[in-house]
Each structure stands twice: as structure tokens, then as C-alpha cells.
Amino acid sequence: MEPVIQEEASGCGIAASAALAGVPYADARRVANGLGIHAEDQTPWSDTRHVRTLLSAFHITTSPMETPFTSWEALPDKALLAIKWRREGELPFWHWVVFVRQGGHAYVLDSRKPLRSHLRRDFGRMKPRWFIEVYD
């Protein structure tokens, strides 16, 4: 699985969905926009419903609930992680990343444009709040 870089400041959900679907960001954005999901609107990224809808459009199934993060070892082989969780006024916000474990290796695909490497293994620096399991 390859990282996909977000093109808008709040496009992490679109980028994470694109990485899971194996499509370019522009394709995922086009599908998202057709579903009424727009990165410019920051409120979708304080609700899991929008990213679930987008993933469903790509025929990707997810767990119906969010699971609190306890440890990296306890994560399933594929998951959407909510990191950088915070409150802005009444709304919670977070940054979506994709956790992958395959071939005995674990890594995170992070779509943030300024990063030097979008394939991360610096697990101690990321502070996940919860995750959504992604099924193959």
C-alpha cells in the first residue's frame, strides 16, 4: 500500500480513503465531492460518517464502531487511526492516518504534505485516540 498526499489542509480523510482504495487523491476527491463530501468543509472531519461513506463507495468495509486505542500491538492488520485528537470549541477534530501490518512489518501512512516521509514508523510520536478496523 502506498501513501497518498492530501491536497487540501483538511483532506486527510480523502487521502486515507485513496490510499486504502489504491487510487490517486484526485480520483478520491472526485468521488467524495459526488457524495457531497468536500475537504474545504472542516466539519466532516469531526465525524466518522463521511470517511465511512467514502470508503463504502470504494467497496471497502469497516468496523461499525470506533475502538479505543490501547497499544500498537493490539491494532488489527489494517485500520484508520485518529491522531492529533483535539477539541475546537464544541467539535472534536483529528487527523486520519492508515495503519498497516503486513509481512511482519508495521507502518503508518500519513498524508500530511510537509512530512519528509509519509511512511512512518515513529510510533512513539503518534498519539492515537481510537481506530476503525478496515476489513480486506
Side-chain angles (χ1 to χ4, degrees):
M1 187 176 309
E2 297 295 320
V4 174
I5 311 312
Q6 66 192 72
E7 295 178 10
E8 291 96 2
S10 58
C12 58
I14 293 172
S17 299
L20 287 164
V23 301
Y25 186 88
D27 292 353
R29 180 176 48 209
R30 188 171 34 261
V31 171
N33 291 347
L35 295 167
I37 301 167
H38 303 276
E40 305 83 35
D41 177 9
Q42 291 186 3
T43 55
W45 311 119
S46 65
D47 185 336
T48 65
R49 178 174 25 118
H50 305 283
V51 76
R52 289 176 188 279
T53 300
L54 182 54
L55 288 170
S56 180
F58 287 116
H59 307 287
I60 296 171
T61 309
T62 61
S63 167
M65 60 187 175
E66 295 82 45
T67 304
F69 177 85
T70 56
S71 72
W72 292 100
E73 295 77 22
L75 286 172
D77 289 344
K78 199 178 295 178
L80 278 172
L81 293 177
I83 67 170
K84 295 185 166 189
W85 194 95
R86 67 203 181 281
R87 280 205 177 275
E88 292 183 15
E90 296 289 316
L91 292 175
F93 283 85
W94 56 83
H95 177 62
W96 287 116
V97 295
V98 178
F99 174 81
V100 179
R101 183 182 297 112
Q102 64 183 22
H105 300 284
Y107 55 91
V108 167
L109 300 176
D110 192 332
S111 63
R112 272 189 65 230
K113 201 173 212 168
L115 293 174
R116 273 189 282 221
S117 174
H118 299 282
L119 194 145
R120 296 180 63 180
R121 290 191 175 98
D122 57 335
F123 300 117
R125 295 190 65 190
M126 293 177 273
K127 306 291 184 221
R129 177 83 173 229
W130 44 265
F131 67 90
I132 299 171
E133 184 170 4
V134 176
Y135 304 119
D136 286 324

